[in-house]
Amino acid sequence: MQIKDQLKQLKPYQPGKPIEEVKKEYQLDKIVKLASNENPFGCSTHVREAIQAELEQLAIYPDGYSASLRTDLSEFLQVSEKQLIFGNGSDELVQIIARAFLDQYTNTVIPSPSFPQYRHNAVIEHAEIREVPLLEGGAHDLQGMLDAIDEKTKVVWVCNPNNPTGNHLSEAEFVAFLDQVPSHVLVVLDEAYFEYVRAEDFPNSLSLLNSYQNVIVLRTFSKAYGLAALRVGYGIASEELIRAIEPAREPFNTSRIAQAAARAAIKDQDFIQSCRQKNEAGLTQYQEFANRFGLFIYPSQTNFVLIDFERDADELFNALLKKGYIVRKVIGFPTSLRITVGTKEQNEEILSILADLLQGIRA
């Protein structure tokens, strides 16, 4: 048997270390996972009620069109139901887009480092990959990305705010970029952390869809809504674009429970507002820590921080692991760690450990 050659150069996605594995390896009773940007406050209580109501329907296939969720979400976003597409997490939407647009005769432009699934799926489709390094402060090099576009470019990926740096692009920057992108190129605007954004100049992306038919916006219920285990992502674009890519979507790709949970989550915006406020307070804790030790912290509009500790990240990563804290090492940032903003208590605990480690190293 012979698999595709391009698969041989890929490794499966590597999530953060599982909690049970770390417990066993280091003989710990308590583990705090701050590696995958999950919501430390869980999900709305209404979600649990919605899930319970669906448990009697497990023998029945889900609605492949997600009709009820589609209606609720379209009303919430004030867009047409025909402008929406749903995925098993926004990861699947990345896969759908790559499947629909890319092949061995095309290329795709990707900021680097950014969400690794952009590159992963492009490799599978055998497309040429044009990676454009981030600017020194962690932002997209939009001019560099424009320079990389040619007549064979099919997709350009923009992660806003960017993962793993947390930087955001302003509306003025993004619109100026869109004005220069050729109409034959699809711009994928990944807004996985949209609900956490506080910046007043952040793009009103949905309002731009009327003017730019070559844009699709991706969002997810996995982050602020706290539904990472259920895998529901969605895309918003013109009706024509959604209709064109729908055949690349697998049938029944979101479960009955996931659809019901997402519907309940949308209706509890008080929960989202509370999480946003607690997250902002957490970001302040990390900023004060970075200021205290003279460390560079990337300006984050998300629920994570990337801190440059100016020393081998592996050393700190392993030291934290032994204390029961799972964080994330990031390719391309050998002296930095990405840390999910946790509860106030979790932040205090990990920052206290980090302070002890840094003072010990300096001593």
Side-chain angles (χ1 to χ4, degrees):
M1 294 183 291
Q2 185 69 33
I3 65 168
K4 289 181 176 179
D5 286 340
Q6 54 267 38
L7 286 181
K8 297 175 184 178
Q9 61 179 291
L10 291 175
K11 294 181 180 179
Y13 178 76
Q14 296 294 320
K17 267 184 170 282
I19 289 175
E20 291 306 317
E21 180 182 324
V22 176
K23 276 186 177 181
K24 183 177 180 181
E25 182 177 353
Y26 295 99
Q27 299 182 337
L28 297 168
D29 295 323
K30 175 186 174 183
I31 301 295
V32 179
K33 183 185 176 191
L34 299 175
S36 300
N37 306 335
E38 296 142 331
N39 188 337
F41 306 106
C43 62
S44 165
T45 56
H46 300 306
V47 167
R48 298 185 183 92
E49 296 166 2
I51 290 174
Q52 189 66 38
E54 283 297 316
L55 294 182
E56 298 300 320
Q57 308 295 326
L58 297 185
I60 302 173
Y61 279 109
D63 173 9
Y65 190 63
S66 305
S68 297
L69 174 57
R70 184 179 299 270
T71 296
D72 288 352
L73 187 59
S74 69
E75 290 176 356
F76 177 69
L77 298 176
Q78 293 296 289
V79 299
S80 164
E81 292 185 15
K82 295 179 180 179
Q83 288 183 262
L84 295 171
I85 184 171
F86 294 93
N88 184 31
S90 55
D91 308 56
E92 189 191 23
L93 295 171
V94 172
Q95 181 186 63
I96 288 170
I97 291 166
R99 180 183 293 179
F101 285 91
L102 301 178
D103 58 30
Q104 67 268 38
Y105 306 109
T106 64
N107 70 65
T108 183
V109 177
I110 303 173
S112 179
S114 193
F115 186 48
Q117 292 306 101
Y118 308 149
R119 187 183 193 282
H120 184 95
N121 283 285
V123 169
I124 291 174
E125 301 303 330
H126 212 182
E128 178 193 351
I129 297 165
R130 299 184 174 181
E131 293 182 296
V132 178
L134 300 176
L135 297 173
E136 185 175 348
H140 286 48
D141 180 359
L142 294 180
Q143 186 57 56
M145 294 173 71
L146 287 170
D147 293 342
I149 294 173
D150 63 17
E151 68 280 357
K152 293 184 178 180
T153 305
K154 291 294 184 180
V155 182
V156 172
W157 306 88
V158 176
C159 191
N160 196 30
N162 187 47
N163 178 11
T165 58
N167 298 64
H168 82 287
L169 296 170
S170 69
E171 178 150 354
E173 290 174 307
F174 186 57
V175 169
F177 174 74
L178 289 179
D179 285 340
Q180 298 177 75
V181 174
S183 59
H184 74 273
V185 176
L186 175 66
V187 177
V188 181
L189 180 59
D190 188 345
E191 293 186 341
Y193 298 91
F194 171 78
E195 289 78 14
Y196 287 112
V197 172
R198 310 169 315 285
E200 295 182 359
D201 61 352
F202 194 79
N204 184 351
S205 54
L206 301 190
S207 70
L208 298 175
L209 295 179
N210 292 328
S211 302
Y212 301 93
Q213 300 292 303
N214 61 330
V215 174
I216 183 169
V217 179
L218 305 186
R219 292 181 184 172
T220 183
F221 286 93
S222 294
K223 303 304 181 185
Y225 285 101
L227 304 184
L230 296 179
R231 316 305 298 125
V232 188
Y234 60 96
I236 317 110
S238 69
E239 294 184 16
E240 180 182 12
L241 177 55
I242 295 298
R243 186 166 56 249
I245 66 175
E246 267 284 355
R249 179 180 65 83
E250 296 294 331
F252 310 120
N253 61 332
T254 57
S255 71
R256 296 183 64 92
I257 290 177
Q259 291 176 28
R263 292 182 66 199
I266 294 167
K267 296 171 183 176
D268 192 355
Q269 290 301 308
D270 288 342
F271 173 77
I272 297 298
Q273 179 63 21
S274 173
C275 291
R276 184 186 296 116
Q277 291 172 349
K278 292 174 184 175
N279 184 73
E280 187 168 1
L283 288 171
T284 299
Q285 288 178 273
Y286 283 93
Q287 184 63 64
E288 291 174 349
F289 169 83
N291 293 344
R292 174 185 169 192
F293 285 93
L295 304 174
F296 178 71
I297 183 170
Y298 290 79
S300 179
Q301 292 290 323
T302 66
N303 69 332
F304 63 81
V305 291
L306 183 67
I307 302 177
D308 185 354
F309 290 94
E310 300 175 356
R311 54 186 47 81
D312 184 11
D314 285 337
E315 178 185 354
L316 287 176
F317 175 86
N318 291 322
L320 287 170
L321 207 56
K322 291 176 182 177
K323 296 287 187 178
Y325 283 81
I326 308 173
V327 296
R328 192 73 163 177
K329 294 181 289 184
V330 181
I331 295 174
F333 295 88
T335 60
S336 301
L337 292 175
R338 194 192 71 186
I339 307 172
T340 303
V341 177
T343 64
K344 182 176 185 292
E345 294 74 20
Q346 289 171 340
N347 299 333
E348 288 174 347
E349 289 170 2
I350 192 173
L351 290 175
S352 176
I353 294 170
L354 281 167
D356 289 344
L357 289 171
L358 293 179
Q359 289 165 344
I361 291 170
R362 289 180 179 180

